[in-house]
Amino acid sequence: MGIFSFQNSVFAKEEPTPKAVVTALLNAMKNNNAEQIRAVFADNASQEYERWYKRKNSGDRFKSWLESDIINVHGQVIEPALKMMGNQVVVTGTYKNNDGYSSPANFLLVVEQGKIVSWTMRYD
């Protein structure tokens, strides 16, 4: 019985669901909490625009994009709606920032091992 209890305590800490991870990102964006925004992304996270000529941002380019396009301009999603498909979460709503930019949001976020590994801006 002691071994069983030990095993249960070892496995008691489960990784967060994809929905919980993306919800944490959206809340951190709303509060412009840079530390929490950075914390939900995997070290190898990437970002891309679905129909744009630019290559996928990853590594330092991803981190730079996150700072300039999300954190520094207080980017957030107004009235977000989430749709889950396994480890993928689609976020719709309205994206806006403090630079006066506003646009319909359609983001596809992929979560692995409790961290966002991919953020794709979609246009459909």
Side-chain angles (χ1 to χ4, degrees):
M1 184 151 147
I3 293 174
F4 180 76
S5 296
F6 173 74
Q7 287 177 338
N8 283 346
S9 67
V10 169
F11 296 111
K13 186 176 180 182
E14 297 178 22
E15 66 186 37
T17 65
K19 180 180 180 180
V21 173
V22 172
T23 299
L25 169 65
L26 295 171
N27 288 334
M29 289 171 65
K30 180 179 179 179
N31 296 319
N32 201 32
N33 186 323
E35 184 176 326
Q36 287 182 357
I37 292 170
R38 292 182 202 107
V40 298
F41 289 96
D43 290 337
N44 63 339
S46 65
Q47 176 274 335
E48 67 182 319
Y49 295 93
E50 186 177 61
R51 285 191 248 158
W52 202 41
Y53 67 91
K54 189 174 181 189
R55 292 184 180 176
K56 184 184 292 190
N57 290 320
S58 58
D60 288 341
R61 285 191 0 228
F62 169 78
K63 291 173 185 170
S64 178
W65 170 84
L66 191 62
E67 294 295 323
S68 66
D69 288 29
I70 303 299
I71 295 170
N72 292 345
V73 294
H74 191 182
Q76 59 183 305
V77 181
I78 306 302
E79 296 182 11
L82 280 63
K83 180 179 178 185
M84 278 60 65
M85 300 167 295
N87 71 332
Q88 299 180 358
V89 181
V90 174
V91 177
T92 55
T94 301
Y95 174 83
K96 73 172 217 167
N97 66 31
N98 286 351
D99 277 349
Y101 179 81
S102 180
S103 174
N106 186 342
F107 305 145
L108 172 62
L109 296 126
V110 178
V111 178
E112 293 178 358
Q113 299 177 341
K115 298 282 188 172
I116 299 170
V117 296
S118 175
W119 183 345
T120 303
M121 275 57 172
R122 304 176 339 153
Y123 301 99
D124 290 330

